[in-house]
Amino acid sequence: MAEHMSVVLGSTAIQNLMDIHGFQVLSSNFSSFLWGALMTLEITALAVAFGMVLGLLFGLLKLAQHIKITYALATIYIDFFRGTPLFVQILLLHFGILPWFGDYTTFTSAVVACTLNSGAYIAEIVRAGIQAVDHGQMEAGRSLGMNYRRTMWYIILPQAYKVVIPPLINEFIAMLKDTSLVSIIGVSELTLRGKLIYASSYEPAWVWGAVAIMYFIMTKVLALFGDYMERRLATE
Amino acid sequence: MIDVRNIHKSFGALEVLKGVSCHIAPREVVCVIGPSGSGKSTLLRCVNQLEKVNSGHIYIDGEDLTDSRVNIDTVRQQVGMVFQHFNLFPHKTTLQNITLAPIKVLGLSKSEAKERAMILLGKVGLVDKAEVCPNKLSGGQKQRVAIARALAMQPKVMLFDEPTSALDPEMVGEVLEVMRDLAHEGMTMMIVTHEMGFAREVGHRVLFMDEGVIVEEGTPARIFDAPQNPRTQLFLSKVLRA
């Protein structure tokens, strides 16, 4: 493979690069890094997707203050998951709580922990987004005889989503970076792959540099998507 | 039709309504005037239960709105409300603004609701704006759409909360024109307004409020030409001179 490339390019610079041990480590483990990045994306996507469902639910419950029980439940949930480190949450869920529920994998633990964490942050995003919609909109809906639920669904939420998109993409980016913590329970995402490759190669600068760049590429793509969405929402 | 009996309303320590009673008969147009902070908007909002009263009763067609067993959504279907700041739904077109509640609440089909909406848009002179978004409309046009939206529910009563106060002066006339037509058709209306000329011309009865109570009420001629209470006299001397 390395030989083939140098023949095609015929350049001594490439040839020199090929001779460096760190680069050889990276190129021979390239597919492993890619699988790791894919796993990172998978956990993030699942966590944020489920987190949005949880966040919408708990955000609404947090707003419906007159229903005391669900309000208290939502407050406890949000406060706990925002007030403790994700790292500890992962350990607690994987070793302390999920074993009660029988069969589970490290991947399941990772997704559950990240989902619950993400849901708490998204709940606050949803709450803030709904509160940003002019109060007169709820009054107008209600004055037409629509109940709270209908007004929320047809009037408030379609307007709140514009406010919610930018912080939601921030949450996506933050979660993507934080999934590196699930390496502690042995989920072979990008960081754990990096740890293993580093352990067998002793090329810290090359390996961790490559891991950092891969995280950066993923978050940058998300950030660019966020900018695009923000511009689109602004013109709407 | 509307019967308000001795209602009190406080926001925290501030008592805004200090025992207000009034009665509005079917087909009657009642204008509520008074200085800002006198509680007139709060009174109107209580009639639609956008504010909950602390004590007292409000009856609409004999139904007590302050009774927790009354389904407020059903009552509100019969009470149209027009707001000072229009409160149109910005993410929907003019037509959708009008058809939404009839479709979702009354269960009209899309075509029925559209038909009804187009008749109302004709009435307020905005048929050509059906597919336009509210942010493309002028203030006067917005308020006319808001009136059409409320009328689409075919309410028995219409409440207007300072409908022209947020408008540029040249747009006040077009909105009052629509309201005047509505009054002539026999709609029961309760209007909080600063338009004294309109109140005199269209109102059957005028309520003057100050500091949370109805100070004086009577026909427009009596209130405007021969006010009895010194507070009414003072208020009118200020606004009519301007």
PDB file of all heavy atoms in Angstrom, chain B residues 59-85:
ATOM      1  N   TYR B  59     -70.779  35.683  34.610  1.00  0.00           N
ATOM      2  CA  TYR B  59     -71.693  34.766  33.920  1.00  0.00           C
ATOM      3  C   TYR B  59     -71.738  35.122  32.445  1.00  0.00           C
ATOM      4  O   TYR B  59     -71.857  36.297  32.088  1.00  0.00           O
ATOM      5  CB  TYR B  59     -73.100  34.864  34.492  1.00  0.00           C
ATOM      6  CG  TYR B  59     -73.196  34.492  35.953  1.00  0.00           C
ATOM      7  CD1 TYR B  59     -73.031  35.460  36.950  1.00  0.00           C
ATOM      8  CD2 TYR B  59     -73.447  33.171  36.338  1.00  0.00           C
ATOM      9  CE1 TYR B  59     -73.095  35.115  38.288  1.00  0.00           C
ATOM     10  CE2 TYR B  59     -73.526  32.819  37.676  1.00  0.00           C
ATOM     11  CZ  TYR B  59     -73.351  33.802  38.650  1.00  0.00           C
ATOM     12  OH  TYR B  59     -73.424  33.464  39.983  1.00  0.00           O
ATOM     13  N   ILE B  60     -71.617  34.133  31.592  1.00  0.00           N
ATOM     14  CA  ILE B  60     -71.885  34.333  30.170  1.00  0.00           C
ATOM     15  C   ILE B  60     -73.011  33.384  29.802  1.00  0.00           C
ATOM     16  O   ILE B  60     -72.869  32.164  29.958  1.00  0.00           O
ATOM     17  CB  ILE B  60     -70.630  34.072  29.309  1.00  0.00           C
ATOM     18  CG1 ILE B  60     -69.572  35.146  29.613  1.00  0.00           C
ATOM     19  CG2 ILE B  60     -70.991  34.077  27.822  1.00  0.00           C
ATOM     20  CD1 ILE B  60     -68.333  35.075  28.772  1.00  0.00           C
ATOM     21  N   ASP B  61     -74.113  33.925  29.368  1.00  0.00           N
ATOM     22  CA  ASP B  61     -75.318  33.141  29.106  1.00  0.00           C
ATOM     23  C   ASP B  61     -75.660  32.242  30.294  1.00  0.00           C
ATOM     24  O   ASP B  61     -75.990  31.061  30.140  1.00  0.00           O
ATOM     25  CB  ASP B  61     -75.145  32.289  27.850  1.00  0.00           C
ATOM     26  CG  ASP B  61     -75.460  33.083  26.597  1.00  0.00           C
ATOM     27  OD1 ASP B  61     -76.071  34.171  26.722  1.00  0.00           O
ATOM     28  OD2 ASP B  61     -75.107  32.625  25.509  1.00  0.00           O
ATOM     29  N   GLY B  62     -75.534  32.799  31.483  1.00  0.00           N
ATOM     30  CA  GLY B  62     -75.939  32.062  32.678  1.00  0.00           C
ATOM     31  C   GLY B  62     -74.899  31.093  33.209  1.00  0.00           C
ATOM     32  O   GLY B  62     -75.063  30.520  34.278  1.00  0.00           O
ATOM     33  N   GLU B  63     -73.777  30.898  32.468  1.00  0.00           N
ATOM     34  CA  GLU B  63     -72.764  29.969  32.929  1.00  0.00           C
ATOM     35  C   GLU B  63     -71.712  30.729  33.739  1.00  0.00           C
ATOM     36  O   GLU B  63     -71.178  31.731  33.268  1.00  0.00           O
ATOM     37  CB  GLU B  63     -72.090  29.303  31.720  1.00  0.00           C
ATOM     38  CG  GLU B  63     -72.040  27.808  31.854  1.00  0.00           C
ATOM     39  CD  GLU B  63     -71.411  27.157  30.629  1.00  0.00           C
ATOM     40  OE1 GLU B  63     -71.372  27.775  29.549  1.00  0.00           O
ATOM     41  OE2 GLU B  63     -70.949  26.033  30.773  1.00  0.00           O
ATOM     42  N   ASP B  64     -71.413  30.221  34.926  1.00  0.00           N
ATOM     43  CA  ASP B  64     -70.468  30.919  35.804  1.00  0.00           C
ATOM     44  C   ASP B  64     -69.031  30.509  35.464  1.00  0.00           C
ATOM     45  O   ASP B  64     -68.608  29.399  35.738  1.00  0.00           O
ATOM     46  CB  ASP B  64     -70.782  30.568  37.268  1.00  0.00           C
ATOM     47  CG  ASP B  64     -69.914  31.384  38.230  1.00  0.00           C
ATOM     48  OD1 ASP B  64     -69.040  32.136  37.760  1.00  0.00           O
ATOM     49  OD2 ASP B  64     -70.126  31.255  39.454  1.00  0.00           O
ATOM     50  N   LEU B  65     -68.292  31.441  34.870  1.00  0.00           N
ATOM     51  CA  LEU B  65     -66.918  31.123  34.439  1.00  0.00           C
ATOM     52  C   LEU B  65     -65.982  30.872  35.601  1.00  0.00           C
ATOM     53  O   LEU B  65     -64.953  30.220  35.451  1.00  0.00           O
ATOM     54  CB  LEU B  65     -66.336  32.273  33.601  1.00  0.00           C
ATOM     55  CG  LEU B  65     -67.094  32.768  32.394  1.00  0.00           C
ATOM     56  CD1 LEU B  65     -66.197  33.640  31.560  1.00  0.00           C
ATOM     57  CD2 LEU B  65     -67.597  31.601  31.562  1.00  0.00           C
ATOM     58  N   THR B  66     -66.319  31.425  36.765  1.00  0.00           N
ATOM     59  CA  THR B  66     -65.436  31.264  37.908  1.00  0.00           C
ATOM     60  C   THR B  66     -65.627  29.900  38.569  1.00  0.00           C
ATOM     61  O   THR B  66     -64.855  29.521  39.442  1.00  0.00           O
ATOM     62  CB  THR B  66     -65.665  32.378  38.950  1.00  0.00           C
ATOM     63  OG1 THR B  66     -67.061  32.379  39.299  1.00  0.00           O
ATOM     64  CG2 THR B  66     -65.319  33.732  38.374  1.00  0.00           C
ATOM     65  N   ASP B  67     -66.625  29.156  38.116  1.00  0.00           N
ATOM     66  CA  ASP B  67     -66.847  27.804  38.605  1.00  0.00           C
ATOM     67  C   ASP B  67     -65.831  26.884  37.928  1.00  0.00           C
ATOM     68  O   ASP B  67     -65.739  26.854  36.700  1.00  0.00           O
ATOM     69  CB  ASP B  67     -68.275  27.364  38.243  1.00  0.00           C
ATOM     70  CG  ASP B  67     -68.618  26.006  38.831  1.00  0.00           C
ATOM     71  OD1 ASP B  67     -67.689  25.230  39.108  1.00  0.00           O
ATOM     72  OD2 ASP B  67     -69.820  25.732  39.005  1.00  0.00           O
ATOM     73  N   SER B  68     -65.051  26.147  38.734  1.00  0.00           N
ATOM     74  CA  SER B  68     -63.968  25.347  38.156  1.00  0.00           C
ATOM     75  C   SER B  68     -64.498  24.191  37.297  1.00  0.00           C
ATOM     76  O   SER B  68     -63.751  23.590  36.543  1.00  0.00           O
ATOM     77  CB  SER B  68     -63.070  24.798  39.271  1.00  0.00           C
ATOM     78  OG  SER B  68     -63.855  24.060  40.177  1.00  0.00           O
ATOM     79  N   ARG B  69     -65.786  23.872  37.435  1.00  0.00           N
ATOM     80  CA  ARG B  69     -66.324  22.770  36.629  1.00  0.00           C
ATOM     81  C   ARG B  69     -66.661  23.192  35.204  1.00  0.00           C
ATOM     82  O   ARG B  69     -66.865  22.371  34.338  1.00  0.00           O
ATOM     83  CB  ARG B  69     -67.593  22.200  37.298  1.00  0.00           C
ATOM     84  CG  ARG B  69     -67.285  21.316  38.495  1.00  0.00           C
ATOM     85  CD  ARG B  69     -68.542  21.061  39.293  1.00  0.00           C
ATOM     86  NE  ARG B  69     -69.108  22.326  39.790  1.00  0.00           N
ATOM     87  CZ  ARG B  69     -70.210  22.405  40.535  1.00  0.00           C
ATOM     88  NH1 ARG B  69     -70.875  21.317  40.835  1.00  0.00           N
ATOM     89  NH2 ARG B  69     -70.651  23.574  40.953  1.00  0.00           N
ATOM     90  N   VAL B  70     -66.728  24.495  34.980  1.00  0.00           N
ATOM     91  CA  VAL B  70     -67.054  24.971  33.632  1.00  0.00           C
ATOM     92  C   VAL B  70     -65.847  24.779  32.716  1.00  0.00           C
ATOM     93  O   VAL B  70     -64.718  25.095  33.073  1.00  0.00           O
ATOM     94  CB  VAL B  70     -67.447  26.465  33.679  1.00  0.00           C
ATOM     95  CG1 VAL B  70     -67.502  27.066  32.287  1.00  0.00           C
ATOM     96  CG2 VAL B  70     -68.785  26.620  34.375  1.00  0.00           C
ATOM     97  N   ASN B  71     -66.078  24.207  31.536  1.00  0.00           N
ATOM     98  CA  ASN B  71     -65.004  24.036  30.567  1.00  0.00           C
ATOM     99  C   ASN B  71     -64.737  25.371  29.887  1.00  0.00           C
ATOM    100  O   ASN B  71     -65.511  25.841  29.062  1.00  0.00           O
ATOM    101  CB  ASN B  71     -65.389  22.979  29.522  1.00  0.00           C
ATOM    102  CG  ASN B  71     -64.249  22.747  28.540  1.00  0.00           C
ATOM    103  OD1 ASN B  71     -63.330  23.565  28.416  1.00  0.00           O
ATOM    104  ND2 ASN B  71     -64.310  21.625  27.853  1.00  0.00           N
ATOM    105  N   ILE B  72     -63.604  25.969  30.256  1.00  0.00           N
ATOM    106  CA  ILE B  72     -63.305  27.312  29.793  1.00  0.00           C
ATOM    107  C   ILE B  72     -63.088  27.365  28.273  1.00  0.00           C
ATOM    108  O   ILE B  72     -63.393  28.366  27.623  1.00  0.00           O
ATOM    109  CB  ILE B  72     -62.097  27.891  30.570  1.00  0.00           C
ATOM    110  CG1 ILE B  72     -61.928  29.385  30.262  1.00  0.00           C
ATOM    111  CG2 ILE B  72     -60.833  27.142  30.286  1.00  0.00           C
ATOM    112  CD1 ILE B  72     -63.109  30.219  30.638  1.00  0.00           C
ATOM    113  N   ASP B  73     -62.594  26.265  27.701  1.00  0.00           N
ATOM    114  CA  ASP B  73     -62.343  26.256  26.258  1.00  0.00           C
ATOM    115  C   ASP B  73     -63.655  26.362  25.474  1.00  0.00           C
ATOM    116  O   ASP B  73     -63.733  27.036  24.456  1.00  0.00           O
ATOM    117  CB  ASP B  73     -61.595  24.986  25.852  1.00  0.00           C
ATOM    118  CG  ASP B  73     -60.210  24.936  26.490  1.00  0.00           C
ATOM    119  OD1 ASP B  73     -59.556  25.989  26.523  1.00  0.00           O
ATOM    120  OD2 ASP B  73     -59.805  23.864  26.951  1.00  0.00           O
ATOM    121  N   THR B  74     -64.675  25.703  25.970  1.00  0.00           N
ATOM    122  CA  THR B  74     -65.976  25.760  25.311  1.00  0.00           C
ATOM    123  C   THR B  74     -66.557  27.168  25.396  1.00  0.00           C
ATOM    124  O   THR B  74     -67.134  27.666  24.438  1.00  0.00           O
ATOM    125  CB  THR B  74     -66.967  24.771  25.982  1.00  0.00           C
ATOM    126  OG1 THR B  74     -66.239  23.612  26.357  1.00  0.00           O
ATOM    127  CG2 THR B  74     -68.083  24.407  25.041  1.00  0.00           C
ATOM    128  N   VAL B  75     -66.374  27.790  26.565  1.00  0.00           N
ATOM    129  CA  VAL B  75     -66.877  29.156  26.732  1.00  0.00           C
ATOM    130  C   VAL B  75     -66.147  30.106  25.783  1.00  0.00           C
ATOM    131  O   VAL B  75     -66.755  30.936  25.111  1.00  0.00           O
ATOM    132  CB  VAL B  75     -66.700  29.628  28.192  1.00  0.00           C
ATOM    133  CG1 VAL B  75     -67.127  31.081  28.335  1.00  0.00           C
ATOM    134  CG2 VAL B  75     -67.511  28.746  29.132  1.00  0.00           C
ATOM    135  N   ARG B  76     -64.827  29.943  25.731  1.00  0.00           N
ATOM    136  CA  ARG B  76     -64.031  30.851  24.905  1.00  0.00           C
ATOM    137  C   ARG B  76     -64.355  30.743  23.415  1.00  0.00           C
ATOM    138  O   ARG B  76     -64.140  31.687  22.663  1.00  0.00           O
ATOM    139  CB  ARG B  76     -62.542  30.588  25.116  1.00  0.00           C
ATOM    140  CG  ARG B  76     -62.011  31.140  26.427  1.00  0.00           C
ATOM    141  CD  ARG B  76     -60.513  31.052  26.436  1.00  0.00           C
ATOM    142  NE  ARG B  76     -59.931  31.536  27.685  1.00  0.00           N
ATOM    143  CZ  ARG B  76     -59.075  30.834  28.411  1.00  0.00           C
ATOM    144  NH1 ARG B  76     -58.712  29.643  28.029  1.00  0.00           N
ATOM    145  NH2 ARG B  76     -58.574  31.346  29.517  1.00  0.00           N
ATOM    146  N   GLN B  77     -64.853  29.575  22.992  1.00  0.00           N
ATOM    147  CA  GLN B  77     -65.242  29.448  21.590  1.00  0.00           C
ATOM    148  C   GLN B  77     -66.342  30.438  21.230  1.00  0.00           C
ATOM    149  O   GLN B  77     -66.518  30.795  20.078  1.00  0.00           O
ATOM    150  CB  GLN B  77     -65.737  28.020  21.308  1.00  0.00           C
ATOM    151  CG  GLN B  77     -64.626  26.987  21.317  1.00  0.00           C
ATOM    152  CD  GLN B  77     -65.159  25.576  21.420  1.00  0.00           C
ATOM    153  OE1 GLN B  77     -66.260  25.293  20.935  1.00  0.00           O
ATOM    154  NE2 GLN B  77     -64.408  24.696  22.042  1.00  0.00           N
ATOM    155  N   GLN B  78     -67.082  30.856  22.246  1.00  0.00           N
ATOM    156  CA  GLN B  78     -68.196  31.771  21.979  1.00  0.00           C
ATOM    157  C   GLN B  78     -67.855  33.217  22.286  1.00  0.00           C
ATOM    158  O   GLN B  78     -68.692  34.094  22.134  1.00  0.00           O
ATOM    159  CB  GLN B  78     -69.402  31.325  22.823  1.00  0.00           C
ATOM    160  CG  GLN B  78     -69.885  29.954  22.431  1.00  0.00           C
ATOM    161  CD  GLN B  78     -70.635  29.285  23.553  1.00  0.00           C
ATOM    162  OE1 GLN B  78     -71.208  29.950  24.400  1.00  0.00           O
ATOM    163  NE2 GLN B  78     -70.626  27.964  23.553  1.00  0.00           N
ATOM    164  N   VAL B  79     -66.611  33.423  22.733  1.00  0.00           N
ATOM    165  CA  VAL B  79     -66.190  34.780  23.071  1.00  0.00           C
ATOM    166  C   VAL B  79     -64.939  35.122  22.260  1.00  0.00           C
ATOM    167  O   VAL B  79     -63.868  34.592  22.510  1.00  0.00           O
ATOM    168  CB  VAL B  79     -65.864  34.888  24.579  1.00  0.00           C
ATOM    169  CG1 VAL B  79     -65.495  36.318  24.935  1.00  0.00           C
ATOM    170  CG2 VAL B  79     -67.062  34.426  25.410  1.00  0.00           C
ATOM    171  N   GLY B  80     -65.104  35.973  21.264  1.00  0.00           N
ATOM    172  CA  GLY B  80     -63.949  36.359  20.450  1.00  0.00           C
ATOM    173  C   GLY B  80     -63.150  37.427  21.144  1.00  0.00           C
ATOM    174  O   GLY B  80     -63.699  38.239  21.887  1.00  0.00           O
ATOM    175  N   MET B  81     -61.835  37.403  20.933  1.00  0.00           N
ATOM    176  CA  MET B  81     -61.000  38.405  21.585  1.00  0.00           C
ATOM    177  C   MET B  81     -60.043  39.009  20.568  1.00  0.00           C
ATOM    178  O   MET B  81     -59.433  38.299  19.785  1.00  0.00           O
ATOM    179  CB  MET B  81     -60.208  37.741  22.721  1.00  0.00           C
ATOM    180  CG  MET B  81     -59.243  38.657  23.419  1.00  0.00           C
ATOM    181  SD  MET B  81     -59.913  39.268  24.977  1.00  0.00           S
ATOM    182  CE  MET B  81     -58.590  40.269  25.583  1.00  0.00           C
ATOM    183  N   VAL B  82     -59.943  40.347  20.591  1.00  0.00           N
ATOM    184  CA  VAL B  82     -58.999  41.049  19.723  1.00  0.00           C
ATOM    185  C   VAL B  82     -58.033  41.806  20.624  1.00  0.00           C
ATOM    186  O   VAL B  82     -58.461  42.534  21.526  1.00  0.00           O
ATOM    187  CB  VAL B  82     -59.738  42.011  18.776  1.00  0.00           C
ATOM    188  CG1 VAL B  82     -58.745  42.837  17.964  1.00  0.00           C
ATOM    189  CG2 VAL B  82     -60.663  41.224  17.847  1.00  0.00           C
ATOM    190  N   PHE B  83     -56.726  41.599  20.381  1.00  0.00           N
ATOM    191  CA  PHE B  83     -55.702  42.128  21.277  1.00  0.00           C
ATOM    192  C   PHE B  83     -55.098  43.420  20.733  1.00  0.00           C
ATOM    193  O   PHE B  83     -55.084  43.661  19.535  1.00  0.00           O
ATOM    194  CB  PHE B  83     -54.585  41.102  21.455  1.00  0.00           C
ATOM    195  CG  PHE B  83     -55.045  39.805  22.052  1.00  0.00           C
ATOM    196  CD1 PHE B  83     -55.508  38.776  21.255  1.00  0.00           C
ATOM    197  CD2 PHE B  83     -55.018  39.609  23.428  1.00  0.00           C
ATOM    198  CE1 PHE B  83     -55.937  37.566  21.799  1.00  0.00           C
ATOM    199  CE2 PHE B  83     -55.438  38.417  23.987  1.00  0.00           C
ATOM    200  CZ  PHE B  83     -55.899  37.395  23.178  1.00  0.00           C
ATOM    201  N   GLN B  84     -54.537  44.195  21.644  1.00  0.00           N
ATOM    202  CA  GLN B  84     -53.869  45.433  21.249  1.00  0.00           C
ATOM    203  C   GLN B  84     -52.730  45.152  20.262  1.00  0.00           C
ATOM    204  O   GLN B  84     -52.575  45.858  19.269  1.00  0.00           O
ATOM    205  CB  GLN B  84     -53.305  46.109  22.505  1.00  0.00           C
ATOM    206  CG  GLN B  84     -52.628  47.431  22.210  1.00  0.00           C
ATOM    207  CD  GLN B  84     -52.139  48.114  23.482  1.00  0.00           C
ATOM    208  OE1 GLN B  84     -52.388  47.661  24.597  1.00  0.00           O
ATOM    209  NE2 GLN B  84     -51.444  49.202  23.312  1.00  0.00           N
ATOM    210  N   HIS B  85     -51.971  44.081  20.528  1.00  0.00           N
ATOM    211  CA  HIS B  85     -50.815  43.785  19.666  1.00  0.00           C
ATOM    212  C   HIS B  85     -51.113  42.644  18.695  1.00  0.00           C
ATOM    213  O   HIS B  85     -50.211  41.880  18.343  1.00  0.00           O
ATOM    214  CB  HIS B  85     -49.590  43.503  20.522  1.00  0.00           C
ATOM    215  CG  HIS B  85     -49.148  44.710  21.307  1.00  0.00           C
ATOM    216  ND1 HIS B  85     -48.537  45.784  20.716  1.00  0.00           N
ATOM    217  CD2 HIS B  85     -49.289  45.033  22.611  1.00  0.00           C
ATOM    218  CE1 HIS B  85     -48.294  46.713  21.629  1.00  0.00           C
ATOM    219  NE2 HIS B  85     -48.750  46.286  22.789  1.00  0.00           N
TER     220      HIS B  85
END
